[in-house]
């Protein structure tokens, strides 16, 4: 691969990261700008009937020296070293690219929403002034910075509505705030004290591979009714036992995503089938021609139906193969199946377990979804609103247990759909998951599940921590814009999943009692490290309820059209909790959509990097 292409891609990633931060800091300080002829000399912060003025020159002095003049003393809690660093950063932008970049961004619905939200924070500014300032700043020879944007704004005094600005800041930084508050709460509230009365663990380690030699075989099945080709890899041993295990990968991944776990389970005698979902795997996404205005441009709504049907079709095919004799005869117990899914595969597993898709509630959510602060999964789930059915039940009675790893749930099942789940369920949630944030995609959904259920909280882990680090076919893992814990530092998460998944599946075998101690809070917590505390619970403690409510409201409703008492209370709570309104280390990025900015490194990775950059990049670095 030519080195100049790699460096260009990395430079593009840095460019997009800085642009997003500049937007955020421009809101946070409050700093926006003035034109080449008329420049903003002052910024006035309005808080209800009160207001205070900041000299732009004082901001420039602070960026250069770190010293606060009198007009900035009021803002001392906000002016962290990170803010100063961002004020001084400059981004060199080729003027020939600038117009195309902004034209494509602002022509899309998200760009228009973003401008409107900025305008509410800058009540004396017009859309035209905001656009003009952006264009002028990008064309400047000395590069783009917050302060150069200020000097390009066509107004001498700029007024900022503090309530709207704070709302946008909190919404922009929602995932980071969630992580800061949620991680210590989960670690504390889900911790257990080892009891002397507990029986010692069995004298073997379920994280270690079993004794059987694993064989692998690849097959391809074709569903004529739906015109879908389903590639499948089978992992099996000479002596098989228990249920069939089926793996469902996430969006833009493939069937190799959890190879290490497939081998591990097969080494204990379980037959594992890993399949590709042809409508949402990495190959399909790489071949799409993009004009990304809506989630359905990237993921067909029908995929939310076809994914569970892929597995039901596969079970039909494997049942026939099981009775045909030959090498695989008797090794494919499809009548008793455990589905293990990651991300969108977690949704797939839940749908097969009986969860009912509710497009009415999902549609209400998606119509009010702001472009600021939303997670990739929040946006992507909205592709399902175009399904014609209002309620969908995709239950397959052969699925008797499921494991959902960092599942994308959100509003897909509405407020009641998860109550229809009929099988024991284990959910993994990572506290710093910015792709499927834990509150809306795991914790609150877990609370709605009936029957036998387990929640594992990996505190400090991210969306991709569970992945096979040797597998390169993952859009999320390969994106330069995602802060992921994936390497050796996340090995405790993978070790945990080896042991717990084996114990969970073994509950369907005569050795259930032998493995049950590995499904306990005490065992999971014993695998913790300083950087990755691990917890297991079967019920969320009531002490978490008010915090989950506050964080959920703070993420979705802060930047509503009109400020409310509830909004002000939430903002006050965040101020009291953190002292400063936002941590600018990990500010989410704005939406970018210029495909020309990102060269195609190869047919797959270059396009996937573009997708993730241009559409799914609203989360902390």
């Amino acid at each position: 691969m030519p080195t100049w292409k790699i460096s260009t891609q990395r430079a593009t990633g840095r460019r997009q990261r800085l642009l997003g931060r500049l937007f955020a800091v421009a809101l946070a300080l409050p700093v926006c700008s003035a034109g080449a002829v008329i420049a903003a000399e002052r910024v006035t912060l309005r808080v209800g009937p009160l207001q205070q003025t900041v000299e732009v020159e004082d901001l420039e002095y602070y960026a250069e020296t770190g010293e606060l003049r009198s007009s900035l003393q009021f803002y001392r809690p906000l002016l962290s070293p990170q803010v100063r660093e961002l004020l001084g950063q400059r981004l060199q932008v080729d003027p020939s690219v600038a117009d195309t970049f902004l034209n494509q961004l602002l022509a899309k619905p998200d760009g228009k929403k973003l401008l409107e939200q900025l305008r509410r924070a800058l009540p004396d500014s017009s859309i035209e002034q905001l656009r003009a300032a952006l264009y002028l700043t990008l064309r400047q020879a000395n590069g783009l910075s917050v302060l150069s944007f200020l000097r390009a704004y066509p107004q001498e005094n700029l007024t900022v509505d503090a309530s709207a600005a704070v709302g946008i800041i909190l919404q922009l930084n929602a995932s980071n705030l969630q992580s800061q508050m949620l991680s210590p709460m989960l670690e504390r509230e889900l911790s257990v004290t080892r009891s002397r009365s507990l029986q010692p663990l069995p004298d073997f380690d379920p994280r270690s591979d079993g004794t059987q030699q694993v064989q692998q075989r690849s097959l391809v099945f074709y569903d004529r009714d739906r015109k879908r080709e389903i590639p499948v890899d089978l992992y099996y041993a000479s002596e098989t036992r228990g249920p069939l295990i089926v793996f469902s990968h996430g969006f833009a991944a493939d069937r190799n995503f959890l190879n290490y776990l497939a081998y591990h389970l097969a080494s204990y005698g379980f037959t594992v089938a890993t399949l590709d979902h042809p409508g949402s795997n990495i190959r399909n996404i790489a071949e799409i021609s993009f004009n990304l205005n809506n989630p359905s441009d990237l993921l067909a709504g029908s995929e939310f139906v076809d994914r569970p049907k892929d597995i039901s079709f596969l079970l039909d095919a494997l049942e026939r193969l099981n009775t045909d004799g030959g090498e695989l005869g008797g090794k494919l117990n499809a009548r008793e199946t455990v589905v293990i899914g990651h991300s969108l595969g977690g949704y797939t597993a839940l749908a097969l377990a009986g969860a009912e898709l509710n497009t009415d509630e999902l549609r209400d959510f998606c119509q009010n979804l702001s472009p600021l602060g939303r997670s990739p999964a929040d946006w992507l789930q909205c592709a399902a609103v175009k399904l014609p059915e209002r309620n969908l039940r995709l239950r397959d009675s052969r699925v008797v247990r499921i494991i959902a790893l960092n599942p994308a749930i959100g509003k897909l099942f509405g407020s009641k759909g998860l109550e229809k789940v009929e099988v024991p369920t284990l959910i993994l949630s990572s506290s710093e998951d910015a792709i499927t944030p834990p509150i809306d995609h795991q914790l609150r959904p877990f609370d709605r599940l009936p029957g036998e259920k387990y929640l594992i909280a990996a505190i400090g882990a991210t969306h991709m921590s569970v992945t096979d680090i040797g597998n390169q076919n993952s859009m999320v893992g390969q994106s330069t814009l995602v802060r992921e814990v994936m390497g050796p530092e996340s090995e405790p998460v993978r070790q945990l999943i080896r042991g717990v998944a084996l114990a969970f599946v073994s509950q369907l075998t005569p050795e259930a009692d032998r493995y049950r101690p590995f499904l306990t809070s005490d065992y999971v917590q014993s695998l913790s490290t300083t950087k990755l505390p691990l917890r297991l619970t079967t019920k969320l403690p009531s002490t978490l309820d008010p915090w989950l409510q506050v964080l959920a409201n703070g993420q979705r409703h802060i930047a509503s059209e009109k400020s409310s008492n509830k909004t002000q209370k939430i903002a006050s709570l965040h101020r009291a909790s953190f002292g400063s309104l936002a941590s600018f280390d990990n500010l989410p990025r704005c939406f970018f959509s210029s495909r020309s900015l990102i060269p195609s490194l190869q047919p797959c990775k270059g396009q996937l990097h573009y997708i993730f950059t241009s559409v799914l990049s609203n989360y902390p670095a």
Side-chain angles (χ1 to χ4, degrees):
M1 185 184 299
T3 57
W4 70 268
K5 290 186 177 180
I6 297 175
S7 63
T8 302
Q9 183 189 41
R10 290 174 179 168
T12 300
R14 289 194 295 271
R15 176 184 305 169
Q16 291 152 342
R17 282 195 289 272
L18 180 54
L19 281 171
R21 289 175 177 173
L22 291 173
F23 272 119
V25 174
L27 287 172
L29 276 178
V31 175
C32 285
S33 333
V37 178
I38 302 176
E41 301 294 338
R42 294 168 298 279
V43 176
T44 299
L45 176 65
R46 180 186 298 165
V47 185
L50 304 176
Q51 60 185 37
Q52 181 162 330
T53 299
V54 174
E55 297 293 330
V56 175
E57 183 182 351
D58 291 350
L59 285 171
E60 293 172 329
Y61 182 78
Y62 165 69
E64 181 179 350
T65 68
E67 296 180 13
L68 295 176
R69 289 177 173 172
S70 59
S71 73
L72 292 179
Q73 292 297 327
F74 178 77
Y75 302 102
R76 181 179 291 274
L78 288 175
L79 297 175
S80 66
Q82 292 78 24
V83 171
R84 181 192 170 197
E85 180 183 353
L86 290 173
L87 282 172
Q89 283 182 325
R90 290 186 178 273
L91 172 66
Q92 298 299 327
V93 180
D94 185 345
S96 65
V97 175
D99 286 358
T100 300
F101 166 71
L102 277 175
N103 285 337
Q104 292 188 15
L105 168 64
L106 300 179
K108 292 184 178 295
D110 280 333
K112 294 175 182 177
K113 289 179 182 178
L114 181 62
L115 280 177
E116 181 58 31
Q117 289 183 295
L118 287 171
R119 192 188 65 79
R120 287 201 295 274
L122 308 173
D124 294 340
S125 302
S126 66
I127 295 294
E128 290 72 22
Q129 286 174 318
L130 289 170
R131 292 172 65 102
L134 289 170
Y135 278 107
L136 287 171
T137 308
L138 284 175
R139 291 170 182 164
Q140 291 181 7
N142 61 347
L144 170 65
S145 71
V146 171
L147 295 173
S148 67
F149 179 62
L150 182 66
R151 292 304 187 187
Y153 202 90
Q155 193 169 312
E156 292 183 1
N157 188 75
L158 186 63
T159 300
V160 175
D161 183 292
S163 297
V166 167
I168 292 174
I169 294 164
L170 289 176
Q171 193 179 47
L172 276 170
N173 217 23
S175 294
N176 185 48
L177 289 172
Q178 278 194 15
S179 175
Q180 289 184 44
M181 294 181 70
L182 191 62
S183 293
M185 283 191 293
L186 289 176
E187 182 177 357
R188 180 183 67 250
E189 299 297 333
L190 300 183
S191 64
V192 295
T193 302
R194 186 177 179 88
S195 171
R196 294 182 180 179
S197 63
L198 285 174
Q199 295 298 317
L201 293 173
D203 58 354
F204 70 95
D205 188 346
R207 298 172 298 169
S208 300
D209 286 341
T211 58
Q212 296 208 46
Q213 184 176 354
V214 177
Q215 301 179 63
Q216 182 180 348
R217 182 172 176 182
S218 296
L219 302 171
V220 177
F221 298 99
Y222 186 74
D223 186 339
R224 291 185 176 85
D225 293 336
R226 296 182 303 139
K227 297 180 174 57
R228 284 169 75 92
E229 186 175 88
I230 312 292
V232 179
D233 288 339
L234 297 175
Y235 302 81
Y236 57 96
S238 56
E239 298 180 14
T240 58
R241 66 189 182 110
L244 174 71
I245 304 171
V246 176
F247 283 16
S248 175
H249 63 75
F251 172 76
D254 65 12
R255 63 189 183 276
N256 298 312
F257 187 75
L258 293 171
N259 270 353
Y260 75 93
L261 186 57
Y263 274 102
H264 180 69
L265 294 173
S267 73
Y268 281 88
F270 296 101
T271 300
V272 180
T274 68
L275 79 160
D276 267 26
H277 295 285
S280 51
N281 65 354
I282 192 170
R283 176 171 297 186
N284 177 76
I285 301 304
E287 294 173 354
I288 291 176
S289 175
F290 296 101
N291 181 22
L292 300 176
N293 292 314
N294 299 294
S296 57
D297 295 332
L298 185 58
L299 180 68
S302 58
E303 194 65 9
F304 290 88
V305 176
D306 279 325
R307 279 178 143 262
K309 287 187 175 181
D310 287 343
I311 293 180
S312 291
F313 167 78
L314 175 63
L315 296 184
D316 291 340
L318 294 182
E319 277 196 66
R320 291 191 297 269
L321 195 59
N322 192 53
T323 59
D324 286 344
E327 181 184 3
L328 296 173
K331 296 183 180 296
L332 304 166
N333 182 19
R335 292 186 177 275
E336 191 177 42
T337 299
V338 177
V339 177
I340 301 178
H342 177 262
S343 195
L344 194 56
Y347 153 80
T348 306
L350 284 160
L352 288 161
E356 192 172 285
L357 192 66
N358 186 317
T359 57
D360 281 346
E361 291 188 41
L362 179 63
R363 188 173 293 107
D364 290 341
F365 170 80
C366 293
Q367 286 174 346
N368 298 312
L369 185 61
S370 164
L372 295 174
R374 68 188 180 189
S375 71
D378 288 339
W379 185 84
L380 199 62
Q381 68 179 328
C382 293
V385 300
K386 292 194 174 183
L387 289 170
E389 301 89 344
R390 300 177 67 180
N391 295 88
L392 281 166
R393 188 166 172 81
L394 299 163
R395 172 81 173 109
D396 191 314
S397 61
R398 293 169 292 190
V399 175
V400 295
R401 282 183 171 243
I402 64 166
I403 297 177
L405 307 171
N406 304 99
I409 299 175
K411 297 294 182 179
L412 285 165
F413 301 117
S415 57
K416 301 291 184 182
L418 287 167
E419 296 176 2
K420 307 294 179 64
V421 171
E422 301 174 2
V423 304
T425 299
L426 186 149
I427 289 179
L428 170 70
S429 180
S430 300
S431 69
E432 297 190 22
D433 185 341
I435 310 301
T436 58
I439 291 179
D440 282 341
H441 290 272
Q442 291 107 43
L443 301 186
R444 298 181 78 182
F446 173 81
D447 232 11
R448 298 187 182 116
L449 288 170
E452 183 181 349
K453 58 184 179 181
Y454 304 86
L455 174 74
I456 293 176
I459 299 158
T462 60
H463 192 69
M464 299 289 289
S465 294
V466 73
T467 184
D468 187 336
I469 58 176
N471 173 39
Q472 299 299 309
N473 288 337
S474 167
M475 180 180 76
V476 179
Q478 291 303 305
S479 172
T480 61
L481 298 183
V482 182
R483 192 194 71 79
E484 286 289 346
V485 179
M486 290 180 63
E489 64 271 32
S490 63
E491 181 60 22
V493 178
R494 293 186 288 275
Q495 290 288 340
L496 167 71
I497 292 303
R498 283 184 176 94
V500 171
L502 177 62
F504 187 76
V505 173
S506 295
Q507 297 309 297
L508 297 169
T509 71
E511 293 186 290
D513 290 342
R514 186 183 185 214
Y515 283 93
R516 193 164 289 120
F518 302 109
L519 285 174
T520 62
S521 303
D522 189 77
Y523 171 71
V524 170
Q525 187 167 315
S526 73
L527 303 180
S528 298
T529 66
T530 302
K531 293 184 177 179
L532 287 173
L534 303 170
R535 300 290 186 266
L536 180 144
T537 187
T538 56
K539 183 180 180 181
L540 291 181
S542 59
T543 50
L544 281 177
D545 291 345
W547 290 104
L548 296 182
Q549 187 64 38
V550 165
L551 286 172
N553 286 336
Q555 181 178 2
R556 288 191 298 276
H557 303 309
I558 287 288
S560 59
E561 288 287 339
K562 296 181 180 179
S563 179
S564 65
N565 291 334
K566 185 176 183 180
T567 295
Q568 294 169 5
K569 289 179 181 178
I570 294 169
S572 298
L573 174 61
H574 283 298
R575 285 196 295 272
S577 299
F578 299 106
S580 95
L581 293 174
S583 169
F584 297 103
D585 285 321
N586 297 313
L587 286 171
R589 304 162 188 95
C590 300
F591 285 83
F592 299 93
S593 48
S594 175
R595 186 174 185 181
S596 62
L597 292 177
I598 299 178
S600 177
L601 302 186
Q602 51 177 278
C604 185
K605 286 186 180 178
Q607 194 158 4
L608 293 180
H609 182 84
Y610 160 67
I611 302 166
F612 210 79
T613 300
S614 61
V615 182
L616 305 181
S617 57
N618 271 325
Y619 46 85

